[in-house]
Amino acid sequence: MLYKILAEEIAGEDKELAHILILRLLDEYLNAPDTQINALNRSKNDNLQTTRTYADTMAKEFSYSYAASGMNDLADKATAKSAQIKKNRQITKKPFVLFLCQQPDSQHLRRLQQILLIALYQHSQKFGSTARLVQALASFRLLCDHDRARPSPPKEKILSGTCICIETAHELLKEDIKHESSDSARRYSQSIHRIVADVIDGELGNPRTHHHNQQESEQETNTEKSAVLQVTKSLNGDDAIPAIRLMQNAPKLKAEYQDSKEYLSDNKTHRTYAEISSSSDDPSWIKQSPYLKMAKAQTVSAQIERREKHLACSWNRLTQHELRVFLRELHNTVILSPAAQWVLLLMLMTGRSYERIMATSIVTKMPQKAGDFILRAGSTIQWVYQPDLPKHKLEQAYEEMLVRDNHPITLALPESLASIPDKSKPNESLLPEIEQWLQELNATFNTRLSIGRVADYLLNYLVFTGTDSVEIGLITGELSFHEAGTYYYQYDANQIAAIHASYLEKLSGLLPMKLGTSLAAPSISVDKEIDPKKKLGGSQLQVKPEAIAGLFNRISASVQAAFHHRQITKLHNRYTLYVLHYLNLCTGHRPVKDPYNDMNAFDLNTGKLFISDKEVRAGDSSRIVCLSESAVLQIQHYLNHLNELAVFIDPIDRSISSSIRETLTSTQPLFFFFDENRDGYQRIVVQPRSLHNQLNGLFNLPLNWHRHYLRTFLAKQFSGEIVDSFMGHASLGKEGLTQFSGMSFQQLKAVASAIDHELIQLKILPITGLGRHGKR
């Protein structure tokens, strides 16, 4: 029922007032004169009786004595209550009370208020959902405000003077909306009309669904349509109220064979901007000046960037002195309950927030689903984290090409934590107890301890020690720290556990030996190269090296066969496939429309390539990578192939030949496919769909498989900053080759050399196409 659904906002003194206002609206409706009903309109008469029956039933449920509140000054009380709600900024908290307190100036709106009240009652009985009800309540309030603001009062409409049924109100509202001159009034009326229509139809009409239309035109790129993502950032670590919102454009998913989470995360643009709302304490001369607003926005944006860098000198970072005080006093305290001590230690050792620890389940066997778990087995305790990553459902024939291990992250914890207190019973009082204890420590030792700083210490430690940002996200359980990279990375769970074990060893080293042993956990020492029992997890699209070599061998053999049989279309298409995949493995380029754009992106003399594969030709999401000598040679072979192809096709189809020459002069995209039919040759744009069609039967895997392989391969040899810069995963404030970056081109050249060496090991070499240069 409506009252029960909205009971939370009707309490105390509001309760009696709300009851009486409801009864007054119903009384006015029931005592209004009937519309004239003739024999041909008997159905409307029956509907009117039905509506009146609902009104009578509702009145009985809200029956209260009018004398209890004094009916004489009811309108004044309603007006005063409305003003109080607005003054206290409780409009969104008390929409129903505010609706009842509305005193419309026109009879039309008064009758509409009565009809809406009855419709809300029926709607809540049939569907139970409150989202549309609250929207309708707000729309009616705005409609009343709009009505008062009109330059001249509107004509009284047919809804005004009579007692009508829901069905008649539905028809009249449709007419009013149709002839309403104000867009705002029409929009408000539509929300009210939606409630009435739902009641009549007996079902929720026009439900909001979120689905992707896979039939969209292939001429659109994956990044041309964007959705806006909002990332809340706080400027001071412990303040729960967000100071700004970071707005990011994310590309719309187009290719159904790529996982949506991985694709959207990987293709998040770097075009990030801050939306700044003026603070209430800002001087008026700032609020009124666009230039000063911009200056303030730039200041806040710079502050965000500094925070993203996790500077060691930041005010929100705990010092070693503060950490020693915290650990020593936590061990010696007799004030804190065992549950509070246990939670604080877990926060420090796992990097999880208080809320996340309280919500974590305790299990006795290894879980099979994603999320955080506390695994307790006898006297040992471990924190288990299974990241929620794309599964990539593939045909059975391709499953054998992949390494599909999926071991969770297992962090060993000190045995002293194995005695788990009951953290559910004191849940309500635990947080105030912890905060009070930290405040007392700060007052005694002049420290700046807080729950947020304690939970963030693990993350800061890992950043300062140069840990790969993907591994940081896996250890702390925050995939958002490096979401895209995590999807591509296949980790060794033992190696991740060893990094965490070194952190616990660092903590124990800050304290005297006797006290430090209480923080000791089973240590893990793993050598990445010789560990015979690797427990792999993470990326579920790790292609085996022999499968990659097999792909290139099949494409190369197909190119040779087409060359000998002079099948020009097949030769060009398969050769383009080979060159694209070779360059993708050398550069990590994303599968987008018109990859590599044109030859203006290449500098073959110095071996550099400009990549902008997140937005349509936008420079602010771009990067520069170095090309190996083999990659440069392969591009030169491809250009020779295009020269010969233009000469070969010129007598057959001059327009296509001209198009190829435009490609060589950088006025057309560098890569393209051919389609041959009775009308001649047709040039096909290289995009995910056409690329997938050309690969059909050769390698039916998601097109970004090479990025999974490269992210894992490079992470074994290079730092996270270098890998992220190469892959296009550098986050805000951490871009490579910028003013505050320590990277150089020599490191990117080292990456190119390492990839080249790997390709040679796999026997993947540059090949020629139709060109007469080089050896086949």
Side-chain angles (χ1 to χ4, degrees), residues 266 484 488-489 541-542 584-585 587-591 613-614 623 703-713 726-729:
D266 184 40
Y488 293 122
Y489 184 54
L541 195 59
Q542 282 295 315
N584 285 346
L585 269 178
T587 65
H589 201 292
R590 294 178 175 87
D613 53 4
K614 284 191 176 183
R623 62 191 184 278
L703 299 177
N704 60 351
W705 63 265
H706 64 285
R707 290 175 62 77
H708 289 255
Y709 187 83
L710 284 173
R711 185 60 177 84
T712 303
F713 167 73
F726 177 83
M727 298 289 294
H729 286 158

Side-chain angles (χ1 to χ4, degrees), residues 249 268-273 610-623 728 730-732 735 738:
N249 289 330
K268 279 182 183 176
T269 175
H270 284 179
R271 181 177 288 170
T272 304
Y273 58 94
F610 174 82
I611 294 179
S612 180
D613 53 4
K614 284 191 176 183
E615 302 180 79
V616 182
R617 311 282 79 82
D620 57 356
S621 65
S622 61
R623 62 191 184 278
S731 59
L732 179 67
E735 300 87 350
T738 55

Side-chain angles (χ1 to χ4, degrees), residues 112 169-178 192-193 196:
L112 181 60
H170 175 255
E171 296 173 7
L172 296 176
L173 278 171
K174 282 200 297 187
E175 290 298 316
D176 285 346
I177 292 172
K178 187 184 301 184
I192 300 171
H193 177 260
V196 177

Side-chain angles (χ1 to χ4, degrees), residues 433-448:
E433 178 187 357
I434 291 174
E435 290 178 336
Q436 178 63 31
W437 182 74
L438 291 175
Q439 289 177 7
E440 292 175 359
L441 282 188
N442 292 335
T444 303
F445 296 97
N446 195 26
T447 55
R448 298 171 294 105

Side-chain angles (χ1 to χ4, degrees), residues 467-533:
T467 306
D468 191 324
S469 55
V470 172
E471 294 176 335
I472 293 176
L474 292 169
I475 292 174
T476 60
E478 289 293 343
L479 293 190
S480 59
F481 189 72
H482 197 333
E483 191 175 16
T486 308
Y487 292 148
Y488 293 122
Y489 184 54
Q490 187 174 61
Y491 57 77
D492 180 359
N494 287 339
Q495 190 64 38
I496 300 292
I499 296 173
H500 180 259
S502 67
Y503 166 71
L504 295 186
E505 186 178 348
K506 171 71 174 179
L507 291 182
S508 62
L510 294 174
L511 301 172
M513 182 176 296
K514 184 176 180 180
L515 185 56
T517 53
S518 65
L519 302 180
S523 59
I524 301 175
S525 179
V526 179
D527 189 321
K528 293 182 180 180
E529 301 300 328
I530 64 174
D531 177 24
K533 298 181 180 179

Side-chain angles (χ1 to χ4, degrees), residues 153-209:
K155 284 186 176 181
E156 289 297 335
K157 304 171 186 177
I158 195 170
L159 201 62
S160 301
T162 58
C163 180
I164 60 175
C165 62
I166 291 285
E167 287 74 11
T168 302
H170 175 255
E171 296 173 7
L172 296 176
L173 278 171
K174 282 200 297 187
E175 290 298 316
D176 285 346
I177 292 172
K178 187 184 301 184
H179 296 100
E180 176 61 61
S181 59
S182 169
D183 290 337
S184 299
R186 190 183 306 114
R187 187 170 62 253
Y188 303 147
S189 298
Q190 283 172 343
S191 297
I192 300 171
H193 177 260
R194 183 72 269 160
I195 295 293
V196 177
D198 288 347
V199 171
I200 295 173
D201 297 339
E203 61 180 2
L204 290 172
N206 191 27
R208 293 293 182 92
T209 57

